[in-house]
């Protein structure tokens, strides 16, 4: 018996060791799954308000928080539900298809349910105040209808966790802008959003001749993903833009600061462009902590050195992983 026990003892130790290693691996894998689930599908409230950037100033951006909630599944229902200035929350469910742009009234939150989409249907905020657009996926809005997402002459707007795209299979005028912020908009933040597969991505200030209206422009672009875009990533005229913790991959253009614009550019990451940050027509930039992917910043030095709000700046080395995991339609209400 002593001989028998002596033979089994090492074997039992090996089994025990292997079992413990397997259990530890299972625990790590389970924790990883839970962690990834929390990243890829973040719980959010329909009553959330803006928490980042210029949209937090001037009393903040609350959208329709606290108002009645309506879920829509058709274009007619969406158009009706988002109109008017009464406080309201509108949730898009399923896929809505069309060839038009829907105008959103003030004091409105437009939220995309998990898996929802607008195909050929854009959203427009025109002469309005206090609007939130979150978790909305918009694709292939034809130029004859308008921009995929257009914000004009409006104030206090938060665009968050949206997914904006078309394709580059047609010429540059088949679609219009993907995200255009024009006519003196102020208090606008675009965060955690994906912009991809498009010719003209993001225009901030629409004309060299519109300085009187556009000089007050204030925009924050944070934690967004920009991929396979031909131009305007973004193009900004006259106003102030704070651009931090974005990822820019395989675009034909970079940040173009123009017509006296002052841009603060912090801890962003680029690959695949030879002009990540540059100026035409006398724009300016202050750039710190960026990874230009081997290219250079050629914009003249500006004087916008500090944003007028508090914010958390990710280290440059952490930006890609965070944006890749979180940007786009990843919320669940």
């Amino acid at each position: 018996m002593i001989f028998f026990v002596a033979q089994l003892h090492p074997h039992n130790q090996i089994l025990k060791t292997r079992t413990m290693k397997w259990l530890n691996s299972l625990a790590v894998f389970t924790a990883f799954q839970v962690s990834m689930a929390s990243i890829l599908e973040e719980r959010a409230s329909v009553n959330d308000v803006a928490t980042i950037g210029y949209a937090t100033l001037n009393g903040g951006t609350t959208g329709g928080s606290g108002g009645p909630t309506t879920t829509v599944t058709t274009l007619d229902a969406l158009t009706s539900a988002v109109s008017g200035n009464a406080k309201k929350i509108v949730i898009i469910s399923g896929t809505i298809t069309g060839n038009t742009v829907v105008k959103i009234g003030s004091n409105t939150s437009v939220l995309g349910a998990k898996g929802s989409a607008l195909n050929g249907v854009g959203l427009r905020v025109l002469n309005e105040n206090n609007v939130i657009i979150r978790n909305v996926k918009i694709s292939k809005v034809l130029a004859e209808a308008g921009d995929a997402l257009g914000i004009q002459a409006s104030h206090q707007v938060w665009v968050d966790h949206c997914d904006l795209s078309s394709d580059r299979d047609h010429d540059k005028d088949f679609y219009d802008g993907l995200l255009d912020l024009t006519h003196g908009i102020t208090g606008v933040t675009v965060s955690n959003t994906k912009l991809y597969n498009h010719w003209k991505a993001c225009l901030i200030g629409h004309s060299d001749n519109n300085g009187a209206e556009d000089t007050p422009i204030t925009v924050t672009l944070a934690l967004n993903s920009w991929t396979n875009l031909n131009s305007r990533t973004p193009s900004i005229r006259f106003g102030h833009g704070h651009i931090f913790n974005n990822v820019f991959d395989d675009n034909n253009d970079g940040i173009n600061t123009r017509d006296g614009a002052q841009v603060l550019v912090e801890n962003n990451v680029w690959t695949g462009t030879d002009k990540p940050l540059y100026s035409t027509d006398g724009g300016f930039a202050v750039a710190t902590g960026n990874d230009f992917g081997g290219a250079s910043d050629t914009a003249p030095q500006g004087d916008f050195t500090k944003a007028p709000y508090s914010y958390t700046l990710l280290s440059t080395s952490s930006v890609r992983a965070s944006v890749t995991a979180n940007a786009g339609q990843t919320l669940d209400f």
Side-chain angles (χ1 to χ4, degrees):
M1 290 296 295
I2 294 174
F3 176 77
F4 180 71
V5 171
Q7 290 292 329
L8 282 181
H9 183 69
H11 179 68
N12 289 340
Q13 284 296 105
I14 292 171
L15 287 175
K16 182 178 179 181
T17 300
R18 288 177 175 172
T19 300
M20 290 301 296
K21 286 183 177 179
W22 181 83
L23 288 173
N24 287 337
S25 297
L26 179 62
V28 170
F29 179 70
T30 301
F32 174 76
Q33 285 185 311
V34 172
S35 175
M36 287 303 294
S38 66
I39 291 174
L40 296 177
E41 188 177 295
E42 179 185 345
R43 291 294 299 178
S45 169
V46 298
N47 290 302
D48 285 344
V49 302
T51 56
I52 185 171
Y54 278 109
T56 64
L57 301 183
N58 304 313
T61 304
T62 58
S65 181
T69 300
T70 303
T71 299
V72 298
T73 59
T74 68
L75 181 56
D76 286 345
L78 172 64
T79 303
S80 175
V82 300
S83 65
N85 295 329
K87 186 185 297 186
K88 56 195 172 296
I89 299 166
V90 179
I91 299 176
I92 300 167
S93 179
T95 298
I96 297 176
T97 301
N99 181 26
T100 190
V101 166
V102 174
K103 293 182 179 179
I104 301 171
S106 297
N107 307 310
T108 304
S109 294
V110 181
L111 313 176
K114 180 181 177 182
S116 63
L118 298 178
N119 291 342
V121 178
L123 298 178
R124 176 75 45 80
V125 183
L126 175 62
N127 293 312
E128 304 292 352
N129 296 279
N130 192 32
V131 174
I132 292 174
I133 302 170
R134 297 187 84 196
N135 214 51
V136 176
K137 184 174 184 178
I138 304 174
S139 65
K140 299 184 177 181
V141 181
L142 300 182
E144 63 191 50
D147 299 322
L149 180 52
I151 302 170
Q152 300 177 341
S154 297
H155 311 284
Q156 301 311 122
V157 180
W158 183 32
V159 177
D160 182 59
H161 279 283
C162 289
D163 182 307
L164 308 175
S165 71
S166 63
D167 60 57
R168 292 177 63 180
D169 300 334
H170 307 84
D171 67 46
K172 66 183 180 66
D173 295 320
F174 188 77
Y175 304 107
D176 202 350
L178 200 56
L179 173 64
D180 282 9
L181 314 172
T182 60
H183 291 280
I185 52 96
T186 63
V188 174
T189 296
V190 180
S191 55
N192 300 297
T193 290
K194 290 175 64 175
L195 304 93
Y196 57 101
N197 299 347
H198 197 80
W199 283 93
K200 298 173 285 188
C202 180
L203 185 65
I204 304 172
H206 75 288
S207 170
D208 294 340
N209 301 315
N210 204 49
E213 183 181 34
D214 286 345
T215 297
I217 282 176
T218 51
V219 176
T220 302
L221 303 174
L223 301 159
N224 304 300
S225 171
W226 310 67
T227 307
N228 190 32
L229 303 164
N230 183 69
S231 64
R232 303 176 183 174
T233 58
S235 169
I236 177 169
R237 292 179 171 96
F238 297 111
H240 282 70
H242 186 199
I243 303 173
F244 70 93
N245 289 158
N246 294 265
V247 175
F248 301 89
D249 286 328
D250 300 319
N251 304 308
N252 295 346
D253 202 5
I255 298 171
N256 183 4
T257 175
R258 311 171 63 175
D259 295 315
Q262 294 283 348
V263 186
L264 177 58
V265 183
E266 300 181 285
N267 293 28
N268 302 280
V269 177
W270 278 264
T271 64
T273 182
D274 59 2
K275 50 178 184 178
L277 175 56
Y278 68 104
S279 173
T280 57
D281 306 314
F284 303 93
V286 172
T288 62
N290 299 285
D291 179 353
F292 292 118
S296 298
D297 160 25
T298 61
Q301 183 74 10
D303 58 17
F304 183 23
T305 59
K306 184 178 181 181
Y309 46 79
S310 61
Y311 60 100
T312 300
L313 190 64
L314 296 178
S315 66
T316 309
S317 61
S318 302
V319 170
R320 179 173 296 279
S322 178
V323 171
T324 300
N326 292 292
Q329 192 188 58
T330 61
L331 302 181
D332 190 13
F333 296 97

